[in-house]
Amino acid sequence: MLNDLPVQAEDALLALIGLYRDDPRKTKIDLGVGMYRDDLGKTVIMRAVKEAERRLWEAQDSKAYVGPEGDLVFTELLAREVLGAGWSATNVTGVQTPGGSGALRLAAELLAYQGPRTIWVGTPSWPNHKGIFGASGLNVKTHPYFDPRTQTVLLEEMLAALNGASPCDAVLLHASCHNPSGAALADDDWNAIASVVAQRGLIPLIDSAYQGFGRGVDGDREGLQTILAACPEALVAVSCSKSFALYRERTGAIFVSSDSSDKSAKAGGVLASLARVNYSMPPAHGAEVVRTILADEELRADWVTELESMRLRLIQIRRALASTLSGRVPSMAAIAQQEGMFSLLPLSAEQVMTLRHGDGIYMPESGRINIAGLRLDQVDELGGKLLRHLAQH
Ligand code: PMP
């Protein structure tokens, strides 16, 4: 049996970690994998997380099973944070999951539960969206979303595609900090999307993986709330990996919002049963940490403060990079307005390879850069190297 298995191509993004590590050049820059890094290039443990872990170590007296739906206090507190206090109180059910990827997987399996269904995904998107949805039995269709050359959102093209979608098709939306483009939607854009999604009877699946990195913890839920207000049924997949810097702890949740508490409860039951046959129960530690932070006013305030300082560092680097590049390539001014960790440069795969081998600048073939991988004092030098390629467009 094993002999006949195909050889899997390595995950190109994860492979960058090893390639970067093995490059001996001192001037190398890692703009690859999507983790926040500080000025020293470290992905640190947040202060509130460390304190919550200390408290848990002292207080925890059992490792007994929790159940497929995970930590119920965690999901309730997280719902309030991600959906807002008003929404979380109305007909919302949540199930804790192993990270945002686990949330997307359960969401996709719920969408595929009653038979074949199509999900619409913008181009470009996080590559694993298509992977997870396809593996869960959904039929993935794409619509235009972002043009790296002009650095603009293709809203009209997106709306036209969604207007051609069939009722009960699902549509994937990024809550904030679009991965990979960083392109932000204006309030009017969210309203336009909400109105097409509601009129066509589509089911939104909103991926919230970067709350706090765009407009702040409150601002980053506004678009999502516009969609929830317009749609009688919606799913929200949450990742705590970036917002709490809990990457390896695999912490997340899937929420169902509907116009009746009965419907949401039924969906919650199906999600829990899907969890049971996939991995039985989610890992506890990360959710306990998040619960401890969100349940304590002081710890929560410290988490918000630290998250805000991370957001401001990204904005500072964005502005510096945009100003270095935009003199020669005007479209690059958009980098300063974009949000979150990523921007998508209009580079060919060949140009990306030249930057990697020639200059020690590491990014995936798509041209996506992780802004957090940069220090302010590297921006000028990086800008010069990027301009050699960008100016050709
Ligand atoms: N959604 C998006 C848009 C992401 O970028 C990521 C992680 N890169 C995820 C979901 C999944 O995150 P997690 O590590 O929590 O599974």
Side-chain angles (χ1 to χ4, degrees):
M1 176 194 83
L2 303 183
N3 236 351
D4 291 338
L5 288 177
V7 177
Q8 286 288 313
E10 212 179 348
D11 183 299
L13 194 56
L14 297 180
L16 273 184
I17 299 175
L19 292 173
Y20 177 78
R21 191 192 47 221
D22 296 341
D23 186 333
R25 283 174 286 190
K26 287 225 160 52
T27 51
K28 64 185 178 178
I29 300 178
D30 181 8
L31 306 176
V33 175
M35 288 186 286
Y36 179 81
R37 275 181 279 135
D38 66 11
D39 256 334
L40 302 173
K42 290 191 76 176
T43 301
V44 298
I45 301 177
M46 293 178 86
R47 292 186 303 263
V49 168
K50 263 291 190 218
E51 173 57 20
E53 287 183 320
R54 192 188 63 74
R55 293 184 193 179
L56 284 167
W57 182 80
E58 277 175 6
Q60 197 176 55
D61 57 4
S62 174
K63 298 282 187 191
Y65 284 134
V66 207
E69 55 290 287
D71 183 327
L72 300 178
V73 180
F74 159 80
T75 40
E76 195 187 323
L77 291 170
L78 188 67
R80 214 183 293 167
E81 208 60 59
V82 176
L83 312 177
W87 268 105
S88 63
T90 59
N91 307 329
V92 168
T93 305
V95 167
Q96 184 200 326
T97 57
S101 303
L104 289 164
R105 177 77 195 209
L106 284 199
E109 290 195 14
L110 176 66
L111 288 167
Y113 198 73
Q114 292 150 315
R117 191 188 302 277
T118 293
I119 187 161
W120 291 83
V121 178
T123 304
S125 197
W126 181 47
N128 212 20
H129 279 141
K130 270 195 201 173
I132 292 173
F133 299 156
S136 310
L138 292 172
N139 169 28
V140 179
K141 284 193 181 163
T142 58
H143 64 76
Y145 186 76
F146 180 77
D147 180 353
R149 205 178 44 82
T150 56
Q151 293 286 307
T152 50
V153 174
L154 302 170
L155 188 70
E156 291 311 316
E157 288 86 336
M158 172 183 181
L159 295 176
L162 294 185
N163 262 318
S166 305
C168 291
D169 281 1
V171 54
L172 176 83
L173 301 168
H174 297 228
S176 70
C177 308
H178 183 264
N179 180 2
S181 72
L185 293 171
D187 292 350
D188 284 349
D189 301 341
W190 279 110
N191 286 329
I193 294 168
S195 118
V196 171
V197 169
Q199 270 167 25
R200 294 295 304 163
L202 308 180
I203 306 165
L205 165 54
I206 308 171
D207 184 355
S208 177
Y210 296 91
Q211 190 179 10
F213 283 96
R215 301 182 200 173
V217 171
D218 294 331
D220 283 349
R221 69 167 90 84
E222 284 172 9
L224 174 154
Q225 287 179 328
T226 303
I227 302 291
L228 293 189
C231 298
E233 297 183 2
L235 302 172
V236 181
V238 183
S239 167
C240 298
S241 300
K242 284 80 182 186
S243 305
F244 291 84
L246 278 170
Y247 307 90
R248 69 172 69 155
E249 298 294 355
R250 313 309 303 132
T251 312
I254 176 72
F255 293 105
V256 184
S257 153
S258 84
D259 49 5
S260 104
S261 53
D262 280 356
K263 283 205 258 177
S264 295
K266 257 201 287 185
V270 173
L271 287 169
S273 78
L274 291 170
R276 183 84 175 122
V277 295
N278 269 296
Y279 48 81
S280 191
M281 294 168 207
H285 182 69
E288 286 169 343
V289 167
V290 171
R291 181 197 65 202
T292 306
I293 294 171
L294 296 182
D296 183 291
E297 218 173 295
E298 246 174 74
L299 272 190
R300 184 187 172 277
D302 189 53
W303 166 66
V304 171
T305 304
E306 192 169 0
L307 186 52
E308 184 63 8
S309 73
M310 292 153 80
R311 185 178 85 91
L312 295 177
R313 183 178 116 75
L314 291 174
I315 291 176
Q316 202 183 21
I317 296 170
R318 284 189 170 284
R319 288 189 180 146
L321 187 61
S323 102
T324 304
L325 299 177
S326 60
R328 299 260 311 275
V329 185
S331 65
M332 292 294 112
I335 290 176
Q337 267 72 55
Q338 290 162 359
E339 47 181 47
M341 285 202 265
F342 306 117
S343 283
L344 188 64
L345 302 178
L347 294 170
S348 66
E350 208 183 3
Q351 289 173 316
V352 167
M353 286 307 158
T354 306
L355 282 160
R356 189 180 302 173
H357 297 132
D359 297 312
I361 294 166
Y362 284 78
M363 67 181 84
E365 276 190 11
S366 61
R368 187 191 82 170
I369 55 170
N370 176 10
I371 299 285
L374 259 181
R375 292 194 315 263
L376 218 44
D377 64 0
Q378 293 172 315
V379 168
D380 276 352
E381 200 186 321
L382 174 75
K385 290 171 178 169
L386 290 177
L387 278 172
R388 288 209 295 270
H389 300 283
L390 291 171
Q392 292 171 15
H393 284 272

